Amino acid sequence: WLWDSNRSYLTALSEETRIQALQTPLQYLLLSAPPEQEEAFQKLKLQHGSDFCFHGSPPANWHCILRQGLKNASGTSLMTSGQAHGPGIYLARDSSTSAGYSGRECRRGGN
């Protein structure tokens, strides 16, 4: 079921788009949006710009996130980490910040 229903795929990041602070060439972009949604995103990206950010979720949540995207669970029984800055989906520019919310340690040097 998982294999047949999965529309997402990984593509390697080019050298100029890699995040240098991660110190590894093994960096990929997961593309999972339908073409019309990706087209709308690309238009907004041209208008407003974009940044690479990290979201920390335990591996048990990945399947659902890949299928349905990130959902705001603030104020529901699904909320796991609080809402210190109000309701929303929290992202960080530093992977080590998000790693703390994934239940996994962040290791430097690409290991």
Side-chain angles (χ1 to χ4, degrees):
W1 171 83
L2 176 64
W3 184 260
D4 289 337
S5 67
N6 186 10
R7 293 180 51 186
S8 61
Y9 63 96
L10 292 173
T11 183
L13 289 176
S14 63
E15 187 172 349
E16 55 274 356
T17 59
R18 290 183 197 138
I19 301 166
Q20 297 305 314
L22 294 179
Q23 301 175 0
T24 178
L26 304 175
Q27 296 181 39
Y28 303 89
L29 180 63
L30 176 69
L31 299 172
S32 61
E36 59 278 0
Q37 192 175 12
E38 180 63 22
E39 183 180 342
F41 170 75
Q42 291 301 329
K43 287 179 183 176
L44 289 169
K45 181 176 158 183
L46 284 173
Q47 186 179 9
H48 301 286
S50 70
D51 285 316
F52 277 105
C53 293
F54 300 89
H55 174 74
S57 282
N61 295 352
W62 294 357
H63 180 267
C64 185
I65 291 170
L66 290 174
R67 291 287 177 268
Q68 299 176 15
L70 291 170
K71 302 288 184 188
N72 183 355
S74 299
T76 72
S77 62
L78 300 174
M79 184 174 75
T80 59
S81 298
Q83 48 185 340
H85 301 283
I89 297 169
Y90 288 48
L91 304 170
R93 288 200 169 119
D94 185 306
S95 63
S96 62
T97 301
S98 294
Y101 294 92
S102 71
R104 305 178 67 81
E105 285 186 37
C106 180
R107 292 184 252 163
R108 297 259 177 213
N111 296 324

